[in-house]
Amino acid sequence: MTATPYSGRTASPRTARAINDRLALELLQSEGPLTATQLKELTGLSRPSVADLVERLGAAGLIHVVGESGAERRGPNARVYGIVADRAHLAAVDVRTHSVAIEVADLLGRTIGRAALPVDPQGDPRRTVKRSVALLERTAREAGATALHTVAVGAPGLVDPATGELRATGQLPVWHSALVAELRQRIGIPVLLDNEVNLAAVAEQRLGAVRDRDTFVLLWLGHGVGAAVVLDGVLRRGASGGAGEIGFLPVPGTFQLPTASLCEGGFHSLAGSAAVCALARAHHLPVMGEDDDAAAAEAVVALARAGDKHGEVFLDALAARIAIGAAAVCAVLDPGCVVLAGEVGRAGGEALATRVAEGLARMTPLPTEVRAGAVEGSAVLRGAVLTAMDAAQNRLFAPETQ
């Protein structure tokens, strides 16, 4: 599709140039390296205007020549221009109860470094924060990112839309908010914070299972449970940042009601990792590891997909539980599509998604497609990288109209 250039009829020539420069940068980011002729065709700008913007962006250190095209034809080859990927470096941090995972990327979101740190939930919070910050700095340094531009952090809990501060829900570790505060104070660059399930939804919408959907709900099934709500292409966080805290959703089949500070008795008690492991044992499946470990739940769900009788019955029972929470969300939002993500959702794959869809069809008249998450690796880290990339590009590519 050809983009619409800014004509400058109602603004100064400088403003028009800046906006057209931004348009060209966005095309180079989304389409990949392009020749000047391709930029002319995609922007609708004149050849002299494209030549001017290429010169300006090159002088600013934002684009450079990455190759040539047309080697197979006679005459001079056309230069191919691309964004200078190492113009800025980004970092993503995924904070969990038992671990911290880090990914360092360039300005195009390409990973150049990874690291992880196991965390003792009962350990010294100050030491955990110190080790996490040191790991981030070391990973960036070893990846050649001597100066990070933007960091995005995903963590469980509520992120206050007004203040950007993290407020724990349930019994989450206090060091999570301390880590974010330390990063913001120490490294002196933008540190973005969002709920980790929201970041997973960003990744699934941009790279994964719902690239064709503007409205969907992502159900996170892991150590805990949560949801991300995307309506008409916009991630909805709620008045206090708590949209999707379905671990606290009262549901049938549990031993008590949840409280304001404890999600036990809510949907968490049906579909969290401890509940999944207990259900597996009840169906005579071996569980390796601790019941509250998402990895143990992931492993047993993957084992159940092998297809023996016990595994089939277990997946049926697990899907019935997940469908209860999904049906409640669908009754309120009617998203038309539910994505099963997190360790359990990913391990269950299409086998689990199909069963949940069948359960939903029995409980609600609203047609709802259920899909398995498709982002490879950590969807939270991928979503954090995309969030940091967008923020960095917005700052670096911003039109200078003063």
Side-chain angles (χ1 to χ4, degrees):
M1 179 182 292
T2 299
T4 302
Y6 194 88
S7 66
R9 287 192 295 269
T10 59
S12 69
R14 182 175 183 179
T15 299
R17 286 195 299 270
I19 294 174
N20 286 331
D21 287 356
R22 176 62 186 266
L23 172 61
L25 287 165
E26 289 177 349
L27 287 168
L28 288 168
Q29 193 275 329
S30 62
E31 303 294 330
L34 299 168
T35 65
T37 298
Q38 290 171 322
L39 280 170
K40 174 182 177 297
E41 293 171 350
L42 290 170
T43 62
L45 294 167
S46 67
R47 189 174 298 277
S49 294
V50 170
D52 287 344
L53 74 81
V54 165
E55 183 177 354
R56 284 193 302 272
L57 295 176
L62 292 173
I63 69 172
H64 61 164
V65 177
V66 296
E68 293 184 341
S69 69
E72 71 285 352
R73 61 177 173 80
R74 300 177 65 181
N77 296 337
R79 292 178 175 178
V80 178
Y81 299 94
I83 290 175
V84 179
D86 60 0
R87 178 72 168 75
H89 291 102
L90 325 165
V93 183
D94 181 6
V95 179
R96 304 293 181 91
T97 303
H98 297 86
S99 67
V100 175
I102 291 169
E103 192 166 307
V104 178
D106 63 21
L107 186 57
L108 294 176
R110 298 178 301 200
T111 301
I112 59 175
R114 289 191 181 94
L117 175 71
V119 173
D120 179 4
Q122 307 304 320
D124 182 358
R126 291 172 297 181
R127 183 170 182 269
T128 297
V129 169
K130 182 178 180 180
R131 293 178 65 204
S132 300
V133 173
L135 180 65
L136 172 60
E137 293 175 336
R138 183 170 66 253
T139 305
R141 184 171 60 251
E142 292 175 350
T146 54
L148 292 173
H149 183 281
T150 306
V151 176
V153 180
L158 307 183
V159 179
D160 190 307
T163 66
E165 299 298 319
L166 180 66
R167 180 165 66 88
T169 57
Q171 297 178 321
L172 293 173
V174 297
W175 62 266
H176 286 185
S177 57
L179 173 58
V180 175
E182 178 68 15
L183 286 172
R184 286 174 170 166
Q185 180 178 358
R186 177 162 176 165
I187 63 180
I189 62 173
V191 176
L192 313 175
L193 174 66
D194 206 341
N195 178 272
E196 89 279 27
V197 181
N198 287 343
L199 293 177
V202 170
E204 289 292 350
Q205 187 175 33
R206 301 261 295 263
L207 305 172
V210 277
R211 283 176 287 182
D212 60 334
R213 306 287 301 214
D214 288 331
T215 296
F216 66 94
V217 166
L218 180 140
L219 288 186
W220 183 269
L221 306 166
H223 173 71
V225 297
V229 179
V230 177
L231 303 177
D232 300 322
V234 179
L235 184 62
R236 307 291 181 174
R237 294 178 172 83
S240 63
E245 286 292 332
I246 60 169
F248 291 86
L249 181 72
V251 292
T254 64
F255 57 92
Q256 65 183 43
L257 288 174
T259 68
S261 60
L262 192 65
C263 60
E264 295 297 332
F267 184 52
H268 171 85
S269 293
L270 282 187
S273 62
V276 172
C277 290
L279 183 65
R281 286 197 177 95
H283 285 81
H284 310 291
L285 295 176
V287 176
M288 305 299 293
E290 300 180 7
D291 284 358
D292 64 349
D293 186 358
E298 178 182 13
V300 76
V301 171
L303 176 66
R305 289 180 59 192
D308 67 11
K309 180 178 180 180
H310 294 303
E312 294 283 339
V313 176
F314 162 72
L315 286 177
D316 290 342
L318 177 59
R321 290 185 174 196
I322 295 170
I324 291 173
V329 172
C330 292
V332 175
L333 299 176
D334 187 17
C337 182
V338 171
V339 179
L340 304 184
E343 292 83 358
V344 170
R346 180 176 57 197
E350 290 301 323
L352 184 61
T354 299
R355 287 170 165 84
V356 173
E358 292 170 351
L360 277 176
R362 289 191 293 268
M363 282 188 282
T364 174
L366 307 176
T368 306
E369 186 178 2
V370 181
R371 301 180 183 179
V375 173
E376 296 184 3
S378 169
V380 175
L381 284 176
R382 274 289 89 199
V385 166
L386 290 169
T387 299
M389 182 184 76
D390 290 346
Q393 290 184 1
N394 284 338
R395 293 185 59 163
L396 291 172
F397 300 171
E400 297 179 4
T401 57
Q402 298 297 322

